[in-house]
Amino acid sequence: MVFVLKKNAAEDKIAAFVKKIEGAGFTTFLSTGTEHTVVCLIGNTARLDVDFIVQTNEIVEYGKRVTEPYKAVNRTVHPADTLVTVGGVTIGEGYFQVIAGPCSVESEAQIIGVARSVKESGATLLRGGAFKPRTSPYSFQGLQERGLEYLLAAKRATGLPIVTEVMNQTQLPLFGDVDVLQIGARNMQNYDLLKEVGRCRKPVVLKRGFSSTIEEFLMSAEYIVAEGNPNVILCERGIRTFETMTRNTLDLSAVPLLKQKSHLPVIVDPSHAAGIRSLVPALSKAAVAVGADGLMIEAHNDPANALSDGAQSLDLDQFRDLCGEIRRRAEFEGKKVK
Amino acid sequence: MVFVLKKNAAEDKIAAFVKKIEGAGFTTFLSTGTEHTVVCLIGNTARLDVDFIVQTNEIVEYGKRVTEPYKAVNRTVHPADTLVTVGGVTIGEGYFQVIAGPCSVESEAQIIGVARSVKESGATLLRGGAFKPRTSPYSFQGLQERGLEYLLAAKRATGLPIVTEVMNQTQLPLFGDVDVLQIGARNMQNYDLLKEVGRCRKPVVLKRGFSSTIEEFLMSAEYIVAEGNPNVILCERGIRTFETMTRNTLDLSAVPLLKQKSHLPVIVDPSHAAGIRSLVPALSKAAVAVGADGLMIEAHNDPANALSDGAQSLDLDQFRDLCGEIRRRAEFEGKKVK
Amino acid sequence: MVFVLKKNAAEDKIAAFVKKIEGAGFTTFLSTGTEHTVVCLIGNTARLDVDFIVQTNEIVEYGKRVTEPYKAVNRTVHPADTLVTVGGVTIGEGYFQVIAGPCSVESEAQIIGVARSVKESGATLLRGGAFKPRTSPYSFQGLQERGLEYLLAAKRATGLPIVTEVMNQTQLPLFGDVDVLQIGARNMQNYDLLKEVGRCRKPVVLKRGFSSTIEEFLMSAEYIVAEGNPNVILCERGIRTFETMTRNTLDLSAVPLLKQKSHLPVIVDPSHAAGIRSLVPALSKAAVAVGADGLMIEAHNDPANALSDGAQSLDLDQFRDLCGEIRRRAEFEGKKVK
Amino acid sequence: MVFVLKKNAAEDKIAAFVKKIEGAGFTTFLSTGTEHTVVCLIGNTARLDVDFIVQTNEIVEYGKRVTEPYKAVNRTVHPADTLVTVGGVTIGEGYFQVIAGPCSVESEAQIIGVARSVKESGATLLRGGAFKPRTSPYSFQGLQERGLEYLLAAKRATGLPIVTEVMNQTQLPLFGDVDVLQIGARNMQNYDLLKEVGRCRKPVVLKRGFSSTIEEFLMSAEYIVAEGNPNVILCERGIRTFETMTRNTLDLSAVPLLKQKSHLPVIVDPSHAAGIRSLVPALSKAAVAVGADGLMIEAHNDPANALSDGAQSLDLDQFRDLCGEIRRRAEFEGKKVK
């Protein structure tokens, strides 16, 4: 950790600052420039808050942590790729999985029908929303408990492991038979939920908040892993920018960056990012090429009559065609498909 | 509600679309242009989802709701300004209140000391964090239950009503004696929390999410009011932009806009927006001038040793000076101060 | 064009508005709702400014142009893909070209050396900056005229057509032997420069402004094409967002969107977008997969001693390896490589 | 300047790096941590490019300039406030000036009429666009030379100094009798224009680019001042964000920040920022309170029929009322009005 002191820092204040830091168990080195003095700390600074020190010491102009604030999810700490296994499916480096299904579960017949179709097309996990976070209190909020039951029926019918969103920790008891918990973008910094999900050991798909930096995203994953659950799958799903032609801007650069910084698997959700069906195939192919470990794609039996997000869903034929394209490219990239 | 159909829309498909809409109980008017047909709906369209209709009808290119999606918080529905009263303090148009206190409650002596001082300076409500949402799981998470007890002690000592953040709905039973619940920016779209808070009748300070549009902000307030709690105070606290010199960009235009669109009180938090103490006075004065109904300002007995956000806190002398400046300007604007 | 009138619009004002529009040569249809009246215009509205009408007619709440404001670059007007040919190289749908070279031309030997190497690796055009827009007046501003001479020497030595940036229209006489003019991101809305470049017929690489919407980008291309120069190549190079880990956020969704909306070729510059060398290969592969017609990649003989943007440049060996990867993928996608 | 070296930096590479820096005339101090080595440079580092050094030395992980890259505009270099005087009007700390007029000059009668009215209301400078940068090539581009003539006529008629935009340096000869040159937001990084404007001594209103950081804004001012023209007036006019309810987000925090960092005058343009007339009064009052040295406000004789930006223009009565409100507040803040 390095601190640059202000130009006019008085010598006695510098001495007091150094004494305080050394009193906390660190060794310091001072370097006195023509304009500024720099103080370097030596020792394990993980427990120090760099902003806090800058803010609470008037003579400090600037501070920089040399090591990243995330530890458990950091590749330097844990160089080997994490592989998350669920129901015989492996998610992580070297594999490519497609998670597919409708935005919302609408009926038992619907979700079983979609599950059978996407499985045949090549999907290896089934997604579907039972609890739906919606901007308006007047919009459809999902089938809730009943939606979960229908998802489990689809799992029994097809053998596909299921991925579905949990909106708050009081719902967790209902998710006992769910294979993968999803934390939605709006909940990425719902820390109490992250902690609870960290206390169970189920795999978690953690979606990037639509205005979260990559570092904040990794810090939220850190909350889960720090509580003891290492099975976190990061999901890039677009960030909020000034561009309005797409719903969000898919940040594909985040994929190689996350894989450099962390050992966790990274998947991409092109459907929510774009919000436009016609962009999903091109973005899916790009996600394979950029190095993602999988895709989460909305596919619906009847998008024209979907209860939510119909505009971004592929129909089942479109999904089958795309799945073939994805598989060809994943194999081209040397990934195992299932 | 108006729909613009695609250029090549076939006549039979247009007829089917019109039939579907009329079947749902609306009257329609068609206008056939040289390139596009436009369909106008007449009737109460509050229950329709415009995006859904666009997305699920292939021939529709574009749709526009003519009326806003928020109802209960809409000024056209409820033209009179809402005044929220708590412990003898009125928040809303015509009044100007200053809510002050430390970012985090640190000890009983600290919070009582700060409360006495800010009261004397002119603050009319006391703020202080007991449960703290922090980016890192390794940062100080607040004194929690104990922090609430200390706040209540400060309330008993000074008579100031207290404002403090609730992070999830399971904590609500602990907040029985708290005067005003605060929903933090990261929880602005935690819908389950909004609903629960809507079911109690306590006043709520709802902070704007740092990447939320003004419409989303009003929709989140709608969640609370729709559940029966009309006592919502909107708080602008800065949005995330590309600028890095301030922590967030305080969006003061939001204040007159919110007051045009809604009847709810609007306050401003310059401390979290700027993240820099030296900007707080200028932004506070601007907030009075732009028409806000109050300010929420961080003030701390010893910012240099604060446990969180010290850099943006005023010390108690600075706060007293600023409070005098604010009062002069609020009176200049014809606002009642307390 | 559709206008939604305000709720309380008086009948005589509506009549006056309709009369004004009909006086301008349009047919109108009125649709009177329970709350709002909607006016639909029929006729060629290309010459109307929708915002202007909304702003200048008090009774109009909202207006929407049904057709896009760009005409010459619009795919609906000109459905066939534009192919730009320069020095025997074809840029556009069905082809995949790699433009490579250093950020800045540094010496004759350097640029000839780089040109020979990138040509051998598979690049089909040479890029290099002679005039350099720099944030600081104290930074290296390029070799200017001398840089252009060295580029032309490299063209003579290798036969590669050259692409280089023109910063203002007074420089154009110097660019007579340059094959492709580049308009930089900061000049995307320098309309006088766009008009001048539109008056010559040289191919133009137009870079997207780092905060420009896709519609603004197409409107800038429209400026060039409207002056008579159809040879515009659009270049996505990253947009400014809140994320700071990359220099800009590469918006790969823009590629399929631009190709849907317009007939112009679209290329991608991953080097400037990311600002980090290690991300260039992954983003280049993604650009091929997402449907781009080419790449513009920074490659330098000695990145560690480059005079500008060394951190994002590949060295010549890295470029050769990447070029092989790109070629394999372009062929996989059925594109002609040269 | 401080450099943090990478974890695994070899000793011989560190020695080579240090030798290179010392060879360039700097003294260095090394501080060796448990994980990282830090190198501090002592001496005048103004000529060094920190990014360049990080990028071109593989062992360097991170570098930080301790002093800001702008010099001539930096308050630490030039502590006294710059006062710009033009036609007897002083712009800068301690004064408050209102620049008013229509977006575009439309006719001689119009601009003279507006000039007389705004002068009577209290404006001390006249603005009006002759050359207009427009997103669409099909929009009104301004009256150009003729517009300049009409502005000069208005100046003769009223004595008000005039402010008008120059779009490119070839136009400068036409601006001989113009009092204040305006550089528009889209040209803030048109460096060749900045340099030319720096070579004349006329006062310049430099508008912040709508996606420019405060540091980039100051660097563009530095281009002008470094060429010898100290008469630069900074103008905050809103930045591009995700919010769509206003045209841009007025960044009022920029005002106190710019005044802390620089000695140049800072004014605010609320009209272009908001794009909505009804917000202009509140934002103007906030600009006074936040510490601006003046305002630039659009006022038009007939906004409903303005040729551009009518929606954001006040009519002359509204302007007169607002001008009174502004004057009262500027006097309250102790500013000289004219």
Side-chain angles (χ1 to χ4, degrees):
Chain A
M1 202 170 270
V2 179
F3 295 100
V4 177
L5 305 190
K6 287 187 183 151
K7 233 177 189 165
N8 52 1
E11 293 210 3
D12 59 332
K13 293 212 166 166
I14 297 177
F17 176 66
V18 167
K19 198 175 156 197
K20 178 154 65 165
I21 283 173
E22 298 196 334
F26 296 91
T27 307
T28 60
F29 279 88
L30 253 74
S31 137
T32 307
T34 46
E35 298 201 337
H36 293 266
T37 295
V38 176
V39 181
C40 305
L41 264 70
I42 310 212
N44 178 0
T45 60
R47 64 194 163 90
L48 294 184
D49 178 341
V50 65
D51 286 341
F52 175 68
I53 293 172
V54 174
Q55 292 162 6
T56 57
N57 289 279
E58 293 280 347
I59 62 166
V60 178
E61 172 147 332
Y62 178 82
K64 170 75 187 169
R65 178 182 294 284
V66 166
T67 47
E68 283 118 349
Y70 39 91
K71 301 292 164 198
V73 306
N74 198 317
R75 191 177 277 281
T76 61
V77 174
H78 182 308
D81 292 299
T82 287
L83 298 180
V84 175
T85 304
V86 53
V89 178
T90 304
I91 301 168
E93 187 61 36
Y95 295 82
F96 199 89
Q97 306 298 347
V98 178
I99 305 171
C103 185
S104 295
V105 178
E106 295 169 21
S107 72
E108 186 166 349
Q110 175 238 16
I111 191 68
I112 292 179
V114 171
R116 286 194 169 126
S117 174
V118 299
K119 183 183 182 185
E120 201 180 298
S121 296
T124 47
L125 295 102
L126 176 68
R127 58 148 290 153
F131 295 92
K132 301 293 306 170
R134 302 300 300 272
T135 307
S136 167
Y138 310 123
S139 296
F140 172 59
Q141 311 271 318
L143 292 183
Q144 318 227 356
E145 286 84 344
R146 207 147 44 88
L148 288 183
E149 287 164 26
Y150 296 163
L151 273 170
L152 293 172
K155 177 185 174 180
R156 285 190 299 271
T158 60
L160 289 179
I162 59 176
V163 183
T164 195
E165 178 163 354
V166 56
M167 279 179 67
N168 80 68
Q169 65 268 39
T170 67
Q171 297 169 341
L172 276 172
L174 301 169
F175 284 66
D177 294 324
V178 166
D179 299 281
V180 182
L181 301 171
Q182 180 175 311
I183 306 285
R186 292 187 182 87
N187 270 325
M188 193 202 85
Q189 294 191 316
N190 183 335
Y191 300 121
D192 290 335
L193 175 57
L194 297 177
K195 285 179 190 169
E196 279 298 317
V197 156
R199 280 179 208 121
C200 67
R201 294 301 175 93
K202 259 186 218 308
V204 179
V205 166
L206 178 66
K207 291 197 143 189
R208 181 180 180 184
F210 58 68
S211 281
S212 297
T213 63
I214 289 171
E215 185 168 304
E216 288 167 347
F217 190 18
L218 288 170
M219 290 309 291
S220 287
E222 184 84 9
Y223 259 96
I224 300 172
V225 180
E227 289 289 339
N229 186 348
N231 299 306
V232 177
I233 300 156
L234 302 170
C235 181
E236 160 62 31
R237 46 76 71 214
I239 58 174
R240 183 163 274 189
T241 69
F242 60 83
E243 178 61 63
T244 54
M245 216 177 263
T246 44
R247 183 155 63 180
N248 291 121
T249 297
L250 187 64
D251 180 12
L252 284 175
S253 312
V255 176
L257 267 173
L258 287 167
K259 293 190 71 88
Q260 283 174 18
K261 301 282 179 192
S262 173
H263 49 86
L264 296 174
V266 181
I267 65 173
V268 169
D269 175 348
S271 305
H272 281 85
I276 306 172
R277 179 185 309 125
S278 67
L279 296 182
V280 171
L283 293 175
S284 296
K285 295 173 195 172
V288 179
V290 91
D293 301 317
L295 282 160
M296 180 178 271
I297 296 176
E298 280 194 17
H300 193 278
N301 49 312
D302 183 11
N305 290 302
L307 290 182
S308 57
D309 284 342
Q312 69 200 30
S313 290
L314 303 180
D315 68 28
L316 298 174
D317 287 347
Q318 291 166 330
F319 177 73
R320 189 191 56 231
D321 292 347
L322 176 56
C323 230
E325 295 273 12
I326 291 168
R327 180 194 301 259
R328 282 177 61 221
R329 283 169 179 77
E331 287 169 350
F332 179 91
E333 301 293 347
K335 301 287 183 80
K336 280 180 217 146
V337 180
K338 168 104 192 190
Chain B
M1 203 171 269
V2 179
F3 294 100
V4 178
L5 305 189
K6 286 188 183 152
K7 234 179 191 163
N8 51 0
E11 293 209 3
D12 58 333
K13 294 211 167 166
I14 296 177
F17 176 65
V18 167
K19 199 177 155 194
K20 178 154 67 166
I21 283 172
E22 298 195 333
F26 296 91
T27 307
T28 60
F29 280 88
L30 253 74
S31 138
T32 308
T34 46
E35 297 201 337
H36 294 265
T37 295
V38 174
V39 181
C40 305
L41 265 69
I42 311 216
N44 178 2
T45 59
R47 65 195 162 91
L48 293 186
D49 179 339
V50 64
D51 286 341
F52 175 67
I53 294 172
V54 174
Q55 292 161 9
T56 57
N57 288 281
E58 293 281 346
I59 62 165
V60 178
E61 172 149 330
Y62 179 82
K64 170 74 186 169
R65 177 182 293 285
V66 166
T67 47
E68 282 118 352
Y70 40 90
K71 302 292 165 198
V73 305
N74 198 319
R75 191 178 277 281
T76 61
V77 173
H78 182 310
D81 291 300
T82 287
L83 297 180
V84 175
T85 305
V86 52
V89 178
T90 304
I91 301 168
E93 187 59 38
Y95 295 82
F96 199 91
Q97 307 298 347
V98 178
I99 306 171
C103 185
S104 295
V105 177
E106 295 169 21
S107 72
E108 186 166 349
Q110 175 238 15
I111 190 69
I112 292 179
V114 171
R116 287 194 166 127
S117 174
V118 298
K119 184 183 181 184
E120 200 181 297
S121 296
T124 47
L125 294 103
L126 176 68
R127 57 149 290 154
F131 294 92
K132 302 293 307 169
R134 302 299 301 271
T135 308
S136 167
Y138 310 123
S139 295
F140 172 58
Q141 312 271 318
L143 291 184
Q144 318 226 358
E145 285 85 344
R146 207 148 43 88
L148 289 182
E149 287 164 26
Y150 296 163
L151 273 169
L152 293 172
K155 177 185 173 181
R156 285 189 300 271
T158 60
L160 290 179
I162 57 177
V163 183
T164 195
E165 178 164 355
V166 56
M167 279 179 66
N168 80 69
Q169 64 269 41
T170 67
Q171 297 168 342
L172 277 172
L174 302 169
F175 283 67
D177 295 325
V178 166
D179 300 280
V180 183
L181 301 172
Q182 180 177 308
I183 306 284
R186 292 186 181 86
N187 270 326
M188 194 204 85
Q189 294 192 315
N190 182 335
Y191 300 120
D192 290 336
L193 175 58
L194 297 177
K195 286 179 191 169
E196 279 297 318
V197 157
R199 279 178 211 123
C200 66
R201 293 301 175 94
K202 259 184 217 310
V204 179
V205 167
L206 178 66
K207 292 197 142 190
R208 180 180 181 185
F210 57 70
S211 282
S212 297
T213 63
I214 289 170
E215 184 168 305
E216 288 167 346
F217 189 17
L218 288 170
M219 289 308 292
S220 287
E222 184 85 8
Y223 259 97
I224 300 172
V225 180
E227 289 288 340
N229 185 348
N231 299 305
V232 177
I233 300 156
L234 303 171
C235 181
E236 161 61 32
R237 46 74 73 213
I239 58 174
R240 183 163 273 189
T241 68
F242 61 82
E243 178 61 64
T244 54
M245 216 178 262
T246 44
R247 184 157 62 181
N248 290 122
T249 297
L250 187 64
D251 180 10
L252 284 175
S253 313
V255 176
L257 268 173
L258 286 167
K259 292 192 71 89
Q260 284 175 18
K261 303 281 180 193
S262 174
H263 49 85
L264 296 174
V266 181
I267 65 173
V268 169
D269 175 349
S271 306
H272 281 85
I276 305 172
R277 179 185 309 126
S278 66
L279 297 182
V280 171
L283 294 175
S284 296
K285 295 173 195 171
V288 179
V290 92
D293 300 317
L295 281 159
M296 181 178 269
I297 296 177
E298 280 193 18
H300 192 278
N301 50 313
D302 182 10
N305 291 302
L307 291 181
S308 56
D309 284 341
Q312 70 199 29
S313 291
L314 303 180
D315 68 29
L316 298 175
D317 288 346
Q318 291 166 330
F319 177 73
R320 190 191 54 233
D321 293 347
L322 176 57
C323 229
E325 295 273 12
I326 291 169
R327 179 193 302 259
R328 284 176 58 220
R329 283 169 179 77
E331 287 169 349
F332 180 91
E333 301 293 348
K335 302 287 182 83
K336 280 180 218 147
V337 180
K338 168 106 191 189
Chain C
M1 204 171 269
V2 179
F3 295 100
V4 178
L5 306 189
K6 287 187 183 151
K7 235 178 189 165
N8 51 1
E11 293 211 3
D12 60 331
K13 294 212 166 165
I14 297 177
F17 176 65
V18 166
K19 199 175 155 196
K20 178 154 67 164
I21 283 173
E22 297 196 333
F26 297 90
T27 307
T28 60
F29 279 87
L30 253 75
S31 139
T32 307
T34 46
E35 298 201 335
H36 293 265
T37 295
V38 175
V39 181
C40 305
L41 265 69
I42 310 212
N44 178 1
T45 60
R47 64 194 162 92
L48 294 185
D49 179 340
V50 64
D51 287 340
F52 175 67
I53 294 171
V54 174
Q55 292 161 8
T56 58
N57 288 281
E58 293 282 346
I59 61 165
V60 178
E61 172 148 333
Y62 178 81
K64 169 74 186 169
R65 177 182 293 286
V66 166
T67 47
E68 283 118 349
Y70 39 90
K71 302 291 164 197
V73 306
N74 199 318
R75 191 178 277 281
T76 61
V77 174
H78 182 309
D81 291 299
T82 286
L83 297 180
V84 175
T85 304
V86 51
V89 178
T90 303
I91 301 168
E93 187 60 38
Y95 295 81
F96 198 89
Q97 306 299 347
V98 178
I99 305 171
C103 185
S104 295
V105 177
E106 295 169 21
S107 71
E108 186 166 350
Q110 175 239 14
I111 191 68
I112 292 179
V114 171
R116 287 195 166 125
S117 174
V118 298
K119 183 182 183 185
E120 200 180 298
S121 296
T124 48
L125 294 103
L126 176 68
R127 57 148 290 155
F131 295 91
K132 301 293 306 170
R134 302 300 300 273
T135 307
S136 167
Y138 311 123
S139 296
F140 172 58
Q141 311 271 318
L143 291 183
Q144 319 227 358
E145 286 84 344
R146 206 146 46 87
L148 288 182
E149 288 165 26
Y150 297 163
L151 273 170
L152 292 171
K155 177 185 174 179
R156 284 191 299 271
T158 60
L160 289 179
I162 58 177
V163 184
T164 194
E165 179 164 354
V166 56
M167 280 178 65
N168 78 70
Q169 64 269 41
T170 68
Q171 297 169 342
L172 276 172
L174 302 169
F175 284 66
D177 294 325
V178 166
D179 299 280
V180 182
L181 302 171
Q182 180 175 308
I183 306 284
R186 291 186 182 87
N187 270 325
M188 193 203 85
Q189 294 191 318
N190 183 335
Y191 300 120
D192 290 334
L193 175 57
L194 297 178
K195 285 179 191 169
E196 279 298 317
V197 157
R199 281 178 209 122
C200 67
R201 294 301 176 92
K202 260 185 217 308
V204 179
V205 167
L206 178 66
K207 292 197 144 189
R208 180 179 181 184
F210 57 70
S211 282
S212 298
T213 63
I214 289 171
E215 184 168 304
E216 289 167 346
F217 190 17
L218 288 170
M219 289 309 291
S220 287
E222 185 84 9
Y223 259 96
I224 300 172
V225 180
E227 289 288 341
N229 185 349
N231 299 305
V232 178
I233 300 155
L234 303 171
C235 182
E236 160 62 32
R237 46 74 72 213
I239 59 174
R240 184 164 275 188
T241 68
F242 61 82
E243 178 62 64
T244 54
M245 216 179 260
T246 45
R247 184 157 63 180
N248 292 121
T249 297
L250 187 65
D251 180 10
L252 284 175
S253 312
V255 176
L257 267 173
L258 287 167
K259 293 191 71 89
Q260 283 175 18
K261 301 281 179 192
S262 174
H263 50 85
L264 296 174
V266 181
I267 65 172
V268 169
D269 175 349
S271 305
H272 281 86
I276 306 172
R277 179 184 309 125
S278 67
L279 296 182
V280 172
L283 292 175
S284 296
K285 295 173 196 173
V288 179
V290 92
D293 301 317
L295 282 160
M296 181 177 270
I297 295 176
E298 280 193 18
H300 192 279
N301 50 312
D302 183 11
N305 291 301
L307 291 182
S308 56
D309 284 341
Q312 70 200 30
S313 292
L314 303 180
D315 68 29
L316 298 175
D317 288 346
Q318 290 166 330
F319 177 74
R320 189 190 55 232
D321 293 347
L322 176 57
C323 229
E325 296 273 12
I326 291 168
R327 180 193 301 260
R328 283 176 60 220
R329 282 169 179 78
E331 288 169 349
F332 180 91
E333 301 293 347
K335 301 287 182 83
K336 279 179 218 147
V337 180
K338 168 101 190 189
Chain D
M1 203 171 268
V2 179
F3 296 100
V4 177
L5 306 189
K6 287 187 183 150
K7 233 176 190 166
N8 52 2
E11 292 210 4
D12 58 332
K13 294 211 167 164
I14 297 176
F17 176 65
V18 167
K19 198 177 157 195
K20 178 155 66 165
I21 283 173
E22 297 195 334
F26 296 92
T27 308
T28 60
F29 279 88
L30 253 74
S31 138
T32 307
T34 46
E35 297 200 338
H36 292 265
T37 294
V38 176
V39 181
C40 305
L41 263 70
I42 309 211
N44 177 1
T45 60
R47 65 195 163 90
L48 294 185
D49 178 342
V50 65
D51 287 340
F52 175 68
I53 294 172
V54 174
Q55 292 161 7
T56 57
N57 289 280
E58 293 280 347
I59 62 165
V60 178
E61 172 147 331
Y62 178 82
K64 170 74 186 169
R65 176 182 295 284
V66 167
T67 48
E68 283 118 350
Y70 40 91
K71 302 292 164 197
V73 305
N74 199 317
R75 191 177 277 281
T76 61
V77 173
H78 183 308
D81 291 299
T82 287
L83 297 180
V84 175
T85 305
V86 53
V89 179
T90 303
I91 301 168
E93 187 61 37
Y95 295 82
F96 198 90
Q97 307 298 346
V98 178
I99 306 170
C103 185
S104 295
V105 178
E106 295 169 20
S107 72
E108 186 166 347
Q110 175 238 15
I111 190 69
I112 292 179
V114 172
R116 287 194 168 126
S117 174
V118 298
K119 184 182 181 185
E120 201 181 298
S121 296
T124 47
L125 294 102
L126 176 68
R127 58 148 291 152
F131 295 92
K132 301 293 307 171
R134 303 299 302 271
T135 308
S136 167
Y138 311 123
S139 296
F140 173 59
Q141 312 271 317
L143 291 183
Q144 319 227 356
E145 285 85 345
R146 207 147 43 89
L148 288 182
E149 287 164 26
Y150 296 163
L151 273 170
L152 293 172
K155 176 184 174 179
R156 285 189 300 272
T158 60
L160 288 179
I162 58 176
V163 184
T164 193
E165 178 164 357
V166 55
M167 279 179 66
N168 79 69
Q169 64 268 42
T170 68
Q171 297 169 341
L172 276 172
L174 302 169
F175 283 67
D177 295 325
V178 166
D179 300 281
V180 182
L181 301 171
Q182 179 176 311
I183 306 284
R186 292 187 182 87
N187 270 326
M188 193 202 85
Q189 295 191 316
N190 183 336
Y191 300 121
D192 290 336
L193 176 57
L194 297 177
K195 285 179 190 169
E196 278 298 317
V197 157
R199 280 178 209 122
C200 66
R201 294 299 176 93
K202 260 185 218 309
V204 179
V205 166
L206 179 66
K207 292 197 142 190
R208 181 180 180 184
F210 56 70
S211 281
S212 297
T213 63
I214 290 171
E215 184 168 305
E216 288 166 347
F217 190 18
L218 288 170
M219 289 308 291
S220 287
E222 183 85 9
Y223 259 96
I224 300 172
V225 180
E227 289 288 341
N229 185 349
N231 299 306
V232 178
I233 300 155
L234 303 171
C235 181
E236 162 61 31
R237 44 78 69 215
I239 58 174
R240 184 163 273 188
T241 68
F242 60 82
E243 178 60 65
T244 54
M245 215 178 263
T246 44
R247 184 157 62 181
N248 290 122
T249 297
L250 187 64
D251 180 11
L252 285 175
S253 312
V255 176
L257 267 174
L258 287 167
K259 293 191 71 89
Q260 283 174 18
K261 302 283 179 191
S262 174
H263 50 85
L264 296 174
V266 181
I267 65 172
V268 169
D269 175 349
S271 306
H272 281 86
I276 305 172
R277 180 185 310 126
S278 67
L279 296 182
V280 172
L283 293 175
S284 296
K285 295 173 196 171
V288 179
V290 92
D293 301 317
L295 281 160
M296 180 178 271
I297 296 177
E298 280 194 16
H300 193 279
N301 48 313
D302 183 12
N305 291 301
L307 291 181
S308 56
D309 284 341
Q312 69 199 29
S313 290
L314 303 180
D315 68 28
L316 298 175
D317 287 346
Q318 291 167 330
F319 177 74
R320 190 190 55 232
D321 292 348
L322 175 57
C323 230
E325 296 273 13
I326 291 169
R327 181 194 300 261
R328 284 176 60 221
R329 283 170 179 77
E331 288 169 350
F332 180 92
E333 301 293 347
K335 301 286 182 84
K336 281 179 217 147
V337 179
K338 168 100 191 194

